[in-house]
């Protein structure tokens, strides 16, 4: 087994939370004039019902602000991934961070040049072609035998199967769970989730 990343939302690159924070920082720098203006500003202010970029300070630091609220902002970068340079930069940065983790894991597992599955799990891979394509390209530039696959099942099912495996369950029990939930479980390691 090998692991890279998974240190939590405050540390991991490429998460929705990390993207959301980078969006807020980008809006702040654009408002200050340090970087060019971005369409993210209007989209985020509209989404949050705010009047001006400075209003983001109060929004961000409210005690009831959750990781989910900040991560949800990633949808706005995804919506602009074909047209806004700041959104593109943010998503490329996220993809590169995720790819770095996947490459680290692949090196530790040492597939010896053999094909191996690169399972793409999570909403960011599902909704952002830019992030997904950049991630796959970055990993395959180092490991050309990495074969990208979309997730085979819901992450909650994957977690249940992992618990069963830890408890010593059999593949038959895992298939029974998958069939009960009417999904097919792949017997492949998940290298990255975004």
């Amino acid at each position: 087994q090998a692991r890279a990343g998974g240190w939590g939302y405050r540390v991991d690159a490429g998460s929705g939370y990390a993207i959301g924070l980078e969006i807020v920082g980008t809006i702040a720098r654009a408002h200050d004039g340090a970087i060019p203006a971005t369409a993210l500003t209007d989209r985020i202010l509209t989404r949050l019902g705010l009047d001006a970029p400075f209003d983001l300070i109060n929004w961000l630091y409210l005690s009831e602000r959750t990781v989910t609220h900040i991560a949800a902002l990633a949808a706005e970068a995804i919506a602009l991934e074909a047209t806004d340079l700041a959104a593109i930069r943010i998503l490329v940065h996220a993809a590169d961070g995720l790819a770095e983790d996947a490459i680290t894991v692949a090196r530790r597992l040492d597939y010896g040049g053999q094909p191996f599955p690169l399972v793409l799990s999570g909403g960011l891979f599902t909704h952002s072609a830019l992030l997904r394509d950049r991630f796959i390209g970055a990993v395959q530039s180092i490991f050309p035998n990495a074969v990208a696959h979309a997730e085979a099942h819901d992450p909650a099912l994957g977690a249940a199967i992992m618990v069963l495996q830890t408890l010593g369950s059999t593949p038959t029990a895992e298939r029974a769970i998958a069939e009960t939930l009417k999904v097919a479980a792949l017997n492949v390691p998940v290298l990255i989730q975004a």
Side-chain angles (χ1 to χ4, degrees):
Q1 287 187 341
R3 174 182 168 161
W7 292 95
Y9 69 91
R10 292 181 194 251
V11 176
D12 286 341
S15 68
Y17 178 81
I19 292 170
L21 281 182
E22 195 164 349
I23 288 170
V24 173
T26 295
I27 292 169
R29 287 189 300 282
H31 182 73
D32 290 346
I35 62 173
T38 170
L40 285 166
T41 301
D42 288 338
R43 287 192 72 102
I44 295 297
L45 294 179
T46 299
R47 178 185 184 108
L48 301 177
L50 303 175
D51 295 322
F54 278 116
D55 294 337
L56 281 167
I57 296 169
N58 289 332
W59 179 87
L60 187 61
Y61 290 101
L62 282 175
S63 60
E64 62 266 15
R65 188 65 53 233
T66 66
V67 171
T68 304
H69 294 137
I70 295 167
L73 301 179
E76 300 305 332
I78 292 168
L80 294 170
E81 72 179 21
T83 59
D84 186 79
L85 291 178
I88 292 166
R89 182 188 51 75
I90 289 167
L91 293 171
V92 164
H93 182 244
D96 289 348
L98 294 169
E100 184 178 277
D101 287 345
I103 289 165
T104 300
V105 169
R107 283 188 175 128
R108 289 181 183 158
L109 293 175
D110 189 17
Y111 288 101
Q114 296 299 311
F116 65 91
L118 180 66
V119 179
L120 309 171
S121 176
L124 292 174
F125 285 125
T126 302
H127 299 293
S128 175
L130 172 63
L131 185 138
R132 181 179 57 249
D133 294 345
R134 174 72 179 216
F135 169 78
I136 292 168
V139 173
Q140 289 178 339
S141 73
I142 305 297
F143 292 101
N145 291 326
V147 180
H149 297 277
E151 67 183 330
H153 48 73
D154 181 89
L157 173 62
I161 290 171
M162 288 174 66
V163 167
L164 287 174
Q165 288 171 340
T166 301
L167 297 173
S169 79
T170 65
T172 304
E174 294 165 20
R175 277 193 302 279
I177 289 173
E179 289 169 13
T180 300
L181 297 175
K182 297 193 186 312
V183 295
L186 288 179
N187 186 25
V188 294
V190 174
L191 290 185
I192 199 76
Q193 178 171 345

